[in-house]
Amino acid sequence: MHGFSYKNGSLFCEDVALSTLAAAHGTPLYVYSAGTILDHYTRLDAALSGVDHEVAYAVKANSNLSVLRLLANHGAGFDIVSGGELFRVIKAGGDPAHCTFAGVGKTREEIIYALQQGIYSFNVESEEELRYLNEVAGELGMIAPAAVRVNPNVDAKTHKYISTGKSENKFGVDFGAILDLYERAAKELKNIRLRGLQMHIGSQLTSIAPFIEAVDKVVPMVKELKARHGIEFWSIGGGIGIIYQDSLESGSVDWWENQPEAERPLTIERYGKELVPRLKDLGLKILLEPGRYIVGNAGVLLTRCLYEKKGSAKTFKIVDAGMNDLIRPALYEGHHEIVPLVEPTSAERVKVDVVGPICESGDFFCQDRPLPDFQPGENIALMSAGAYGFAMASNYNSRPLPAEILVDGAIATVIRKRQTLDDVIAGEL
Ligand code: LLP
């Protein structure tokens, strides 16, 4: 469910017409719904209420300070992957003691910064990293709290670039090597406190089966680690998938209720119902690291149609957003629903490619998709762009980064100014 819908023929985010925002702030423009972010956060929290748990929002999905502040104010912890993300969390008023630090390549500077800030746990991805963490903590006369990421070798059945839980992925430590590693670490690494175990099998999972498979596989391991090393937490990662295909329709409760039971997409209630019974008697704090689920459907990218170009083979609608603003279609064949800000009055559709201005053939938002016949000068919304949208945007082709707006009811706040050309070249000689 989300806060975007047509009202009187015009697409709204909560109580604000998106066309008003496009006119006032220009395009391309990211717009987020605060109500949707909080609704998702609260529903996930409620779905897990049967177990001692904490939601550690995966900052990488959308790291705008105002988004982080909103979640921090409602009690979220944070899963970070760099010193930069920790810096953002702290600036936004988040508590480092509720931060976990993931990633395969933490640098010395990042480790020192995170130790000094007192994070909850380093989620370590190799024995080499664990030994280095021990060494750096020793130099500082500190004890580093740590969890190792187990790679459970489970197929997440998602796009190969966002699948992480198979042995051929670079992530985590082999399932079979974990117990020995904890034994060695407990004996040899005096500046490490083994605090938990972590896993994350991939992103945009649309079925519950891989989550169940991974949890069932790792439960005996966490029991053993708790008995032998007194671990306190188990992070089961993020990865909960969202609706991209019928994104606009899925905003309403009716849409969900009208889906045939067997085809109903993974809901957070189902996620909780299946996992809570498996987790509740472990005597461990369960951490969740959702990114996309919290913010994905809570954001759109608004863009203006500049030209229509009718080629011999195809019709192209050329818009003012490019792959530098939203790279998901180019990188993961990601589908984003495309809807005009003015509700179409006819059911007629034309088959088009919606493309950006970047000098690359991969710069498209859809190909051969039947869409309402919007015209140059009209604005459209790329739906479900709240996660890994702005966060992955770049200055490619020397294009300024778009502005970001956060809507709360009838109030729209600019939470990041559009870059100027001077911003783009700042720091260069
Ligand atoms: N925890 C860890 C250790 C992760 O690596 C990730 C995502 C998450 C949590 C959050 O996963 P989520 O709940 O958002 O699925 N840019 C790609 C997605 C990359 C995900 C990377 N890791 C995309 O746009 O689809």
Side-chain angles (χ1 to χ4, degrees):
M1 265 131 297
H2 60 70
F4 297 88
S5 62
Y6 284 116
K7 294 181 196 171
N8 298 324
S10 179
L11 191 63
F12 272 66
C13 172
E14 302 193 20
D15 300 327
V16 176
L18 290 172
S19 53
T20 316
L21 295 179
H25 305 284
T27 50
L29 184 70
Y30 274 98
V31 183
Y32 311 120
S33 154
T36 307
I37 295 173
L38 288 184
D39 175 58
H40 289 172
Y41 172 74
T42 312
R43 284 180 37 217
L44 176 58
D45 207 32
L48 270 289
S49 61
V51 0
D52 178 18
H53 72 280
E54 177 160 330
V55 177
Y57 167 67
V59 173
K60 63 170 84 71
N62 185 324
S63 52
N64 186 289
L65 291 181
S66 295
V67 171
L68 301 182
R69 190 175 305 115
L70 184 69
L71 289 164
N73 287 345
H74 287 80
F78 297 93
D79 184 55
I80 56 167
V81 288
S82 68
E85 286 190 353
L86 179 55
F87 179 73
R88 281 180 175 276
V89 168
I90 293 169
K91 286 279 176 201
D95 182 358
H98 289 265
C99 284
T100 49
F101 190 170
V104 297
K106 301 174 191 77
T107 64
R108 178 181 172 83
E109 293 73 23
E110 288 176 320
I111 291 172
I112 292 174
Y113 178 47
L115 276 171
Q116 288 171 340
Q117 296 301 323
I119 65 163
Y120 180 69
S121 177
F122 288 85
N123 291 344
V124 169
E125 306 241 9
S126 63
E127 176 158 359
E128 293 78 356
E129 185 194 332
L130 194 62
R131 289 186 180 278
Y132 189 59
L133 179 61
N134 179 63
E135 191 184 310
V136 177
E139 286 172 30
L140 268 64
M142 297 177 83
I143 304 289
V148 176
R149 174 171 179 173
V150 57
N151 185 331
N153 196 20
V154 165
D155 187 353
K157 301 199 169 55
T158 180
H159 190 277
K160 61 176 189 243
Y161 285 5
I162 50 176
S163 188
T164 53
K166 292 280 286 173
S167 302
E168 59 264 34
N169 300 124
K170 71 176 175 184
F171 300 99
V173 171
D174 281 344
F175 184 82
I178 290 281
L179 292 178
D180 281 354
L181 175 57
Y182 274 71
E183 287 303 318
R184 275 200 303 285
K187 276 200 205 98
E188 298 169 23
L189 307 181
K190 298 300 170 210
N191 295 92
I192 296 287
R193 170 179 169 207
L194 292 167
R195 193 168 201 182
L197 185 78
Q198 196 266 354
M199 70 180 195
H200 172 77
I201 56 173
S203 196
Q204 184 53 15
L205 273 71
T206 49
S207 106
I208 189 73
F211 287 117
I212 293 179
E213 189 185 339
V215 165
D216 285 347
K217 187 162 176 187
V218 176
V219 160
M221 177 178 276
V222 288
K223 286 185 177 161
E224 183 95 36
L225 291 175
K226 184 172 178 236
R228 288 204 216 165
H229 304 289
I231 65 164
E232 300 158 12
F233 81 90
W234 178 17
S235 173
I236 60 170
I240 305 154
I242 62 165
I243 307 273
Y244 281 104
Q245 208 79 25
D246 291 314
S247 182
L248 183 60
E249 297 81 345
S250 72
S252 81
V253 179
D254 288 356
W255 182 88
W256 286 85
E257 286 175 353
N258 287 329
Q259 296 298 304
E261 184 78 42
E263 288 164 33
R264 201 168 286 174
L266 177 57
T267 60
I268 209 61
E269 291 73 23
R270 173 100 198 274
Y271 179 84
K273 208 171 118 208
E274 295 285 356
L275 298 187
V276 166
R278 294 172 153 85
L279 302 169
K280 70 178 181 2
D281 297 326
L282 296 172
L284 292 168
K285 176 183 260 239
I286 301 299
L287 258 58
L288 304 146
E289 304 166 6
R292 191 188 319 261
Y293 170 73
I294 304 284
V295 290
N297 287 138
V300 296
L301 174 59
L302 306 185
T303 179
R304 173 174 290 262
C305 181
L306 299 173
Y307 304 101
E308 179 175 73
K309 176 172 166 175
K310 289 199 160 118
S312 54
K314 283 182 174 229
T315 297
F316 298 97
K317 305 267 191 193
I318 302 167
V319 297
D320 68 359
M323 65 192 284
N324 71 300
D325 302 304
L326 177 64
I327 203 172
R328 301 198 65 266
L331 196 54
Y332 317 107
E333 299 161 312
H335 178 103
H336 290 267
E337 196 181 350
I338 296 176
V339 295
L341 298 197
V342 176
E343 189 170 16
T345 46
S346 100
E348 194 197 322
R349 296 290 178 266
V350 288
K351 211 181 240 190
V352 296
D353 284 20
V354 176
V355 302
I358 304 270
C359 300
E360 299 233 13
S361 297
D363 182 29
F364 58 81
F365 294 117
C366 70
Q367 292 179 304
D368 297 318
R369 195 186 294 175
L371 287 178
D373 195 15
F374 58 83
Q375 293 300 307
E378 284 184 51
N379 290 317
I380 58 172
L382 296 159
M383 302 297 295
S384 305
Y388 307 108
F390 187 94
M392 295 180 80
S394 77
N395 286 125
Y396 188 39
N397 280 202
S398 289
R399 289 164 51 80
L401 292 172
E404 294 173 286
I405 308 270
L406 184 64
V407 171
D408 186 1
I411 297 167
T413 310
V414 179
I415 57 170
R416 191 184 212 276
K417 286 190 208 157
R418 184 177 304 283
Q419 274 188 331
T420 62
L421 292 178
D422 280 324
D423 293 334
V424 174
I425 59 168
E428 294 180 30
L429 275 190

